[in-house]
Amino acid sequence: MEGGGRPSAAQAVLLAASTAITALLYSVYRQKARVARGLEGARKVRLDGDLRAVLLEAPGRCVPYAVIEGVVRSVKETLSSQFVENCKGVVQRLTLQEHKMVWNRTTHLWNDYEKIIHQRTNTTPFDLVPAEDGAGVTVRVMKPLDAAELSLETVYEKFHPSVQSFTDVIGHYISGERPKGIQETEQMLKVGTALTGVGELVLDNATIKLQPPKQGMPYYLSALDFESLLQKQESSVRFWKILTVVFGAATCAVLFFLLRKQYRHHRERQHLRQMQEEFRQAQERLTNAEGGEALKNACVVCLSSTKSCVFLECGHVCSCHQCYQALPVPKKCPICRQGITRVVPLYNS
């Protein structure tokens, strides 16, 4: 605490930072909890012959947030893997990722660093169809890349290590960057994959569409079943809740520490004012009782007894014998703080 009982700059910054982090974590927790509640309350519909009738009865031929499960089927052509034979899909993502070691000048350690240097995603229209053939109903999946969770399977992955000469190695050590290589990855949403779609289900003319919801809720195209997807979201909610509680408790602890310091400082100031008031009252009593002469001869420590000791070698006459006995060892003169070698009694005639 600084003078006047105010918290120091470091303490104020610590309290402000912990409060801001707690508020941020609480905001994320509330958003995750809202998503989990919305997902739990989503309407589950079956991909069967009754789906069209359900949408016809719904207001605006639309279910704002629905859960539907089906199997991926391409509408027209499919996308072929560039590296794996007979691998067909409807979403293809090709990624080139650079791996290197970077020298940290603060910790004096080499740290791993990864950077995506190129990524391309190809899509083709696809439907969700029932797992059992013959139902005759399909759901067109719209804007699959807008999904908060799009389950893509890694079908190809290869790491190409960088080839370096001796001069390259020396140059990399000097520059603080050591290339490790390039990782090439291909991910696909393959035809026949079972998907759980969560979004807005709408009947547009004769086409049933699954598209991103308009209420700010997330859009899911997940390979997990609905119960697993819900458990995953609830686990995320619990994780953020624990983080919020931990940082909230830390913020309360910092606040309690500062308030306790403030309270102790306030008590010390009260005690000091009380002592000053008692000292003033004692001076007034001595002045009124003996016209100032008693105050002149009063002990500077207790202000009640008469001076009765001469301190040597400094020669000050300032204390009574009782207060001299109470001085801490090594005894020092209350006036000049010089060490007391011996005491001579003072007798007033």
Side-chain angles (χ1 to χ4, degrees), residues 256-325:
F256 173 77
F257 171 78
L258 296 180
L259 292 177
R260 182 172 174 269
K261 287 284 188 180
Q262 183 76 12
Y263 173 73
R264 291 179 61 183
H265 180 78
H266 177 69
R267 290 291 301 272
E268 290 174 358
R269 292 185 60 186
Q270 279 189 330
H271 182 63
L272 179 60
R273 284 196 296 266
Q274 182 180 357
M275 292 180 61
Q276 290 174 342
E277 180 64 23
E278 291 177 354
F279 180 76
R280 186 186 61 81
Q281 292 176 359
Q283 285 182 323
E284 290 179 354
R285 286 196 302 268
L286 290 173
T287 302
N288 295 335
E290 302 182 13
E293 187 64 25
L295 179 60
K296 181 179 179 181
N297 296 323
C299 170
V300 298
V301 180
C302 64
L303 296 176
S304 58
S305 302
T306 305
K307 299 173 182 177
S308 60
C309 297
V310 180
F311 296 150
L312 299 178
E313 302 295 331
C314 66
H316 282 122
V317 181
C318 58
S319 170
C320 64
H321 184 71
Q322 289 81 2
C323 291
Y324 163 72
Q325 294 291 335

Side-chain angles (χ1 to χ4, degrees), residues 51-72:
L51 179 58
R52 190 177 301 274
V54 170
L55 292 175
L56 286 172
E57 295 174 358
R61 297 184 175 183
C62 170
V63 178
Y65 207 48
V67 179
I68 191 165
E69 297 179 350
V71 176
V72 173

Side-chain angles (χ1 to χ4, degrees), residues 72-281:
V72 173
R73 188 182 70 182
S74 175
V75 175
K76 296 180 181 178
E77 72 279 357
T78 59
L79 301 173
S80 300
S81 170
Q82 293 187 4
F83 305 99
V84 182
E85 294 183 1
N86 300 323
C87 183
K88 306 290 185 180
V90 293
V91 179
Q92 179 189 47
R93 179 170 293 163
L94 300 169
T95 305
L96 291 177
Q97 189 174 41
E98 179 186 17
H99 293 256
K100 61 183 178 180
M101 303 287 286
V102 177
W103 177 254
N104 190 316
R105 300 183 184 275
T106 303
T107 61
H108 298 284
L109 295 173
W110 289 96
N111 298 329
D112 287 321
Y113 177 78
E114 299 176 359
K115 179 183 177 182
I116 294 177
I117 57 178
H118 178 73
Q119 187 175 78
R120 186 177 80 248
T121 303
N122 304 318
T123 62
T124 187
F126 67 95
D127 294 336
L128 290 181
V129 299
E132 302 84 7
D133 296 332
V137 60
T138 62
V139 174
R140 180 69 49 83
V141 178
M142 311 299 295
K143 300 180 179 179
L145 299 183
D146 290 350
E149 181 174 330
L150 177 61
S151 297
L152 299 180
E153 180 183 350
T154 300
V155 297
Y156 177 81
E157 187 174 22
K158 185 176 182 180
F159 184 76
H160 303 276
S162 59
V163 179
Q164 305 175 26
S165 65
F166 179 74
T167 55
D168 292 335
V169 172
I170 299 299
H172 295 153
Y173 270 97
I174 295 175
S175 65
E177 293 186 0
R178 294 163 48 193
K180 296 172 64 177
I182 303 295
Q183 183 172 354
E184 189 176 16
T185 306
E186 182 182 25
Q187 297 173 295
M188 296 191 71
L189 178 59
K190 296 195 292 186
V191 173
T193 302
L195 277 188
T196 299
V198 184
E200 184 182 62
L201 202 60
V202 59
L203 179 60
D204 185 8
N205 295 326
T207 305
I208 302 176
K209 297 180 179 179
L210 178 68
Q211 58 192 19
K214 297 183 175 64
Q215 304 138 324
M217 298 298 291
Y219 182 36
Y220 293 101
L221 294 172
S222 175
L224 300 174
D225 59 82
F226 177 69
E227 295 300 327
S228 300
L229 182 62
L230 182 59
Q231 289 178 5
K232 181 179 178 181
Q233 296 303 315
E234 290 175 344
S235 299
S236 176
V237 171
R238 285 193 296 269
F239 171 76
W240 287 102
K241 183 178 181 180
I242 291 173
L243 277 184
T244 303
V245 171
V246 169
F247 276 87
T251 302
C252 292
V254 173
L255 182 61
F256 173 77
F257 171 78
L258 296 180
L259 292 177
R260 182 172 174 269
K261 287 284 188 180
Q262 183 76 12
Y263 173 73
R264 291 179 61 183
H265 180 78
H266 177 69
R267 290 291 301 272
E268 290 174 358
R269 292 185 60 186
Q270 279 189 330
H271 182 63
L272 179 60
R273 284 196 296 266
Q274 182 180 357
M275 292 180 61
Q276 290 174 342
E277 180 64 23
E278 291 177 354
F279 180 76
R280 186 186 61 81
Q281 292 176 359

